[in-house]
Amino acid sequence: MTVPTGSGTADPRRLLLVAPSRRLTAAAKEAGFHVVTVPDTTGFTDEALRAHLRETVLTQRVGRLIACGDASTHPAVLQAAEELGVSPNPASAARLLADAAEVRNLLNRSGPQWQALALPDEPGHRPPLCDVGYGVETLTVEGMHRVTGIVEFRRDDGSFGDRGEPGAGHGPDGADRGVTTPPGSGPAVHTFPAPITGAEEAEIRALATGLLDLVGYEFGYAFTRIARTGRGPRIVDAVPRQASWPASRLIELTTGLVAERELVQALSGKPLKAAMPVGCAAALPLSDPPGAPGRIAVPGDVRETRDGYAVLTALTPAELASRTAAVLGCPT
């Protein structure tokens, strides 16, 4: 973590949260942090945003700046935080991690063992189409990466799953926006924990955490997408933020970990809870009935619906599979 420059009056208990969710702001205040927020960055030019952040950091004696959502990859935010010495992460790490092309270039420069793990781009610079992929959510503290969950994405037409875009909501607390999926892909069935063997899990974990080491990621959430291929798992891309809805909700329901509270725990220097799933969960894309938007008919055992997804929970994979089949087969 970098050390604030200047007179030394910055207070590590004073946080500047840029584009945070309401739950993160509430969790930080509850933990005793003095919280200053910049709710949205869209009304600023880059120059004005850097000036506003600088003034806020200096006048409020901010010790750390945490960029969330859209802001987590905003060059002006990352540059200002690093120049002011209040970024818990190198700005270059967050910028690189969010650029799929640069990630591939980095892997290809890092030796044969990494070159083989980069999934080539398709024409048009779109993510390759895959029938099965995995999303790995991690929370990094002082360069140590903790995997909080591996979610499987599956779709029969070959489209890849959710990237965890910055516009996506983070849970049932009324977060700003809904799901965003990458160009050329649509909604996928999400399953957590991913139905994989222990050896597959170890390989997928190693890919995600190894990538974070390569880019120099030091603090915060990241979400890495990995494709399943005939030659084993391959890295597709990553973003420097937590999983988006509905993947984030499946992890929360099954492990009991609330991402915003875990991040605040990390900022407080307190030990983090181990991610121990109890049962399993799935999020299923559903279509509105013709002529009746927003009126999806689903069986009564669906836990909740949001943004065109039905969320189910179960104690065993067999029970989850039965409920999934009932929902996907129900008339709308």
Side-chain angles (χ1 to χ4, degrees):
M1 183 179 294
T2 54
V3 178
T5 57
S7 63
T9 59
D11 183 348
R13 300 294 295 180
R14 290 177 173 263
L15 297 180
L16 173 55
L17 303 181
V18 183
S21 67
R22 291 195 294 272
R23 284 209 306 192
L24 178 58
T25 301
K29 290 180 178 179
E30 184 179 344
F33 285 97
H34 176 86
V35 177
V36 183
T37 65
V38 176
D40 193 357
T41 61
T42 57
F44 295 90
T45 64
D46 286 355
E47 183 178 353
L49 180 58
R50 283 192 292 266
H52 180 65
L53 294 174
R54 179 177 180 81
E55 180 182 6
T56 302
V57 166
L58 296 178
T59 58
Q60 297 292 328
R61 297 189 299 117
V62 167
R64 283 174 289 190
L65 183 154
I66 305 299
C68 314
D70 295 337
S72 65
T73 54
H74 195 306
V77 176
L78 298 174
Q79 180 183 358
E82 190 165 60
E83 289 177 352
L84 293 165
V86 292
S87 173
N89 230 342
S92 59
R95 282 197 299 265
L96 196 161
L97 191 66
D99 188 324
E102 285 301 315
V103 165
R104 281 190 296 276
N105 290 338
L106 176 65
L107 294 175
N108 288 327
R109 295 194 307 268
S110 299
Q113 72 275 26
W114 286 102
Q115 290 172 11
L117 302 176
L119 195 63
D121 221 357
E122 285 197 335
H125 304 288
R126 284 166 38 178
L129 298 181
C130 311
D131 60 345
V132 178
Y134 305 100
V136 185
E137 184 187 73
T138 51
L139 177 55
T140 299
V141 181
E142 295 182 350
M144 301 296 292
H145 316 300
R146 182 188 65 152
V147 175
T148 57
I150 302 176
V151 180
E152 180 194 77
F153 305 124
R154 180 183 293 269
R155 192 174 179 196
D156 294 337
D157 67 358
S159 296
F160 199 77
D162 178 33
R163 186 176 183 233
E165 289 295 337
H170 297 287
D173 68 332
D176 296 332
R177 291 171 285 268
V179 170
T180 301
T181 54
S185 66
V189 173
H190 297 53
T191 304
F192 179 77
I196 50 180
T197 66
E200 289 171 330
E201 179 180 349
E203 190 171 10
I204 291 168
R205 283 172 171 262
L207 280 181
T209 57
L211 175 61
L212 297 178
D213 283 337
L214 278 179
V215 303
Y217 206 68
E218 292 292 326
F219 182 87
Y221 276 101
F223 190 70
T224 303
R225 292 198 311 166
I226 293 173
R228 189 179 76 182
T229 75
R231 296 184 178 181
R234 296 291 185 266
I235 294 171
V236 178
D237 54 23
V239 283
R241 61 181 71 91
Q242 73 184 86
S244 65
W245 170 275
S248 60
R249 183 58 172 157
L250 301 186
I251 296 172
E252 180 179 326
L253 286 172
T254 310
T255 65
L257 299 179
V258 178
E260 293 83 358
R261 293 177 185 170
E262 291 296 296
L263 182 61
V264 170
Q265 285 282 98
L267 288 166
S268 301
K270 296 179 180 178
L272 301 176
K273 297 178 182 178
M276 300 291 292
V278 176
C280 45
L284 315 177
L286 297 175
S287 300
D288 288 328
R295 296 188 179 183
I296 300 171
V298 294
D301 59 0
V302 168
R303 185 180 183 107
E304 60 193 64
T305 59
R306 176 183 158 193
D307 299 323
Y309 278 89
V311 174
L312 302 85
T313 56
L315 293 177
T316 66
E319 180 186 2
L320 184 66
S322 176
R323 293 185 176 184
T324 297
V327 173
L328 292 179
C330 72
T332 59

